[in-house]
Amino acid sequence: MSPKANLSHGRGYLAIPGPSVMPEAVLQAMHRPAPNIYAGELVDMMPGIMDDLKRVARTQHYAAIYIGNGHAAWEAALANVIAPGDRVLVPATGRFGIGWGEMAEGIGADVQLIDFGKSSPMDLEVIAQALDDDKDHKIKAVLAVHVDTSSSVLNDIKGVHDVLDAAGHPALLMADCIASLGCDRFEMDDWGVDVMVTGCQKGLMVPPGCSFVFFNDRAQTVRDAMPRVSRYWDWVPRSTATEFWQYFNGTAPTHHLYGLRVALDMIHAEGIEQVWARHTVLANAIWAACDAWGVGGDLRMNIVDPACRSTAVTSLRLNGNDGTRLRDWVEGQLGLTLGIGLGMAEPGDPARDAYFRLGHMGHVNGQMIMGLLGGMQAGLTALDIPHGSGALEAAAKVIGGR
Ligand SMILES: *Cc1c(COP(=O)(O)O)cnc(C)c1O
């Protein structure tokens, strides 16, 4: 028996699905006095930032920046193409799809919700049927979440495009890639996505505060036909800015831009394909460990089919209140913070304390994930939570390429 000691002093690890771990280089780039916003370095940086954002999104078309979080990007995207009374189809696979639908309702859209529950991906045949039933093409847009961060499901966005195509339906395909961009493979142009929204604080490794809307010519045509668009959310001046302030409709998010510049450099230096591959291997290591723990224990991954799991976040459940006990223990004893369960059980329902999530998005590497899993192993052991053996070995095999 070793002496009692608290082991949380040292560098902590925030393993929640956003905000994600930030690179030191990003933080250092932001630590500076206020820059001039009328001329000089920051102004000169803008065209490069816009180009490099589009490279991450895999689009040749347009991008607009908003000072705001992911919800702001949701609102911005809707404000440009959805007028009161317009119908949107929302195939939801967790809390975030429902949330985007609520945002659309808030601006007066007629929301047609298809709820696929909390642990399954979208069923493309059901979407195809809804499009087929929409004979007079009332549905103006499909709001599809790529990775729903509550359930950790990965949806087939290209599949949604193919279904629209097969139905000959003109609705815009709008994708939420707030959790997935820079983690899970996403190809805006190749997959036929018309509008994509994302934020800066997940795969893009910058503190919360900026979000982005990408759009193509089809979306711009719909924007042009709108009866009116709020000046603030209008993506036109932001995407065609000739003066610096126009990118932001006011003062720039100065320090975020310095951080973002470095984050984009890091992503492109690694290579986006390599970024995706890193997330895939790390996620596979986590899943191998979870599979092993689940043998003879209560730990379960929310998404059963690995092909439908995001490589950025994993939603898990234990029994009783063991999810919360484990989170509390690894945070208090080890300095490791795991994510709460989100949207899986209603507030007040004791089942809430069974759920938790692991964020593994952005600036994460092999030793961090082995540390995360080792910390969980220690917590399961310390708390006498039943679990199978061999989890760390299973993860190590994946990390080691065996
Ligand atoms: C985080 C997230 C959001 C919300 O972003 P905020 O910055 O919290 O407003 C929306 N959708 C998805 C898929 C997310 O992961």
Side-chain angles (χ1 to χ4, degrees):
M1 196 63 195
S2 45
K4 261 200 179 320
N6 181 288
L7 307 176
S8 68
H9 300 267
R11 174 161 297 202
Y13 176 9
L14 184 72
I16 70 175
S20 64
V21 173
M22 291 176 286
E24 288 301 312
V26 168
L27 295 173
Q28 280 159 15
M30 297 179 74
H31 192 85
R32 62 172 68 231
N36 187 1
I37 58 166
Y38 297 107
E41 189 177 53
L42 193 61
V43 175
D44 296 342
M45 259 158 54
M46 265 334 273
I49 286 180
M50 299 308 281
D51 286 349
D52 286 344
L53 278 170
K54 288 184 221 169
R55 270 175 77 196
V56 178
R58 310 283 268 192
T59 182
Q60 308 269 345
H61 301 285
Y62 313 102
I65 303 183
Y66 296 86
I67 300 181
N69 56 19
H71 284 69
W74 274 350
E75 177 99 11
L78 294 168
N80 278 277
V81 291
I82 303 299
D86 285 346
R87 183 173 302 167
V88 295
L89 182 68
V90 179
T93 56
R95 184 57 222 154
F96 288 92
I98 289 173
W100 200 6
E102 287 167 352
M103 230 52 195
E105 203 173 12
I107 65 163
D110 167 14
V111 177
Q112 183 179 340
L113 176 72
I114 310 178
D115 193 344
F116 291 106
K118 298 177 170 119
S119 42
S120 319
M122 294 170 189
D123 181 338
L124 296 177
E125 282 177 28
V126 175
I127 297 175
Q129 188 60 53
L131 294 172
D132 201 48
D133 292 344
D134 182 34
K135 298 282 183 238
D136 1 314
H137 294 168
K138 282 245 165 23
I139 296 170
K140 197 174 183 191
V142 180
L143 311 186
V145 175
H146 187 208
V147 165
D148 198 299
T149 322
S150 60
S151 60
S152 70
V153 74
L154 171 76
N155 285 302
D156 178 5
I157 298 295
K158 175 165 191 308
V160 179
H161 170 263
D162 292 346
V163 158
L164 280 159
D165 214 33
H169 199 294
L172 292 176
L173 175 54
M174 301 174 68
D176 170 345
C177 295
I178 297 173
S180 58
L181 198 76
C183 307
D184 289 287
R185 175 181 289 275
F186 177 78
E187 306 273 5
M188 177 160 171
D189 291 352
D190 281 2
W191 293 0
V193 174
D194 300 301
V195 178
M196 185 270 274
V197 301
T198 197
C200 68
Q201 80 272 26
K202 297 184 185 179
L204 295 182
M205 313 182 293
V206 174
C210 276
S211 55
F212 312 98
V213 177
F214 301 85
F215 57 97
N216 64 12
D217 288 311
R218 241 166 70 77
Q220 181 58 39
T221 304
V222 174
R223 154 71 189 80
D224 289 339
M226 285 281 282
R228 73 184 72 79
V229 172
S230 128
R231 279 285 164 84
Y232 188 75
W233 295 122
D234 194 353
W235 66 34
V236 172
R238 290 170 189 262
S239 60
T240 58
T242 49
E243 289 182 56
F244 185 61
W245 70 272
Q246 293 176 313
Y247 285 105
F248 314 101
N249 207 337
T251 305
T254 48
H255 289 67
H256 272 74
L257 294 175
Y258 277 104
L260 182 62
R261 180 61 274 164
V262 169
L264 291 168
D265 285 343
M266 289 176 74
I267 289 170
H268 292 311
E270 184 178 354
I272 191 73
E273 298 273 352
Q274 179 54 39
V275 169
W276 295 331
R278 170 167 53 85
H279 281 84
T280 301
V281 174
L282 297 176
N284 274 289
I286 290 170
W287 304 338
C290 291
D291 277 334
W293 281 323
V295 177
D298 296 318
L299 187 80
R300 293 290 176 272
M301 283 180 273
N302 186 46
I303 304 300
V304 174
D305 179 357
C308 303
R309 287 182 198 145
S310 164
T311 65
V313 49
T314 299
S315 189
L316 296 163
R317 75 166 297 167
L318 276 163
N319 199 20
N321 63 350
D322 283 347
T324 299
R325 286 176 72 222
L326 180 66
R327 280 194 305 103
D328 288 348
W329 193 89
V330 296
E331 182 163 60
Q333 294 299 313
L334 305 182
L336 167 64
T337 304
L338 310 181
I340 60 164
L342 195 74
M344 302 304 287
E346 294 309 311
D349 180 346
R352 278 204 145 197
D353 288 317
Y355 293 98
F356 64 107
R357 292 173 302 160
L358 309 178
H360 34 102
M361 45 177 56
H363 192 58
V364 281
N365 61 22
Q367 57 91 7
M368 292 165 76
I369 296 301
M370 287 308 291
L372 163 72
L373 297 171
M376 288 174 65
Q377 176 73 55
L380 293 168
T381 306
L383 297 171
D384 271 328
I385 297 174
H387 60 275
S389 61
L392 296 182
E393 201 172 335
K397 277 189 183 147
V398 176
I399 298 262
R402 296 294 296 272

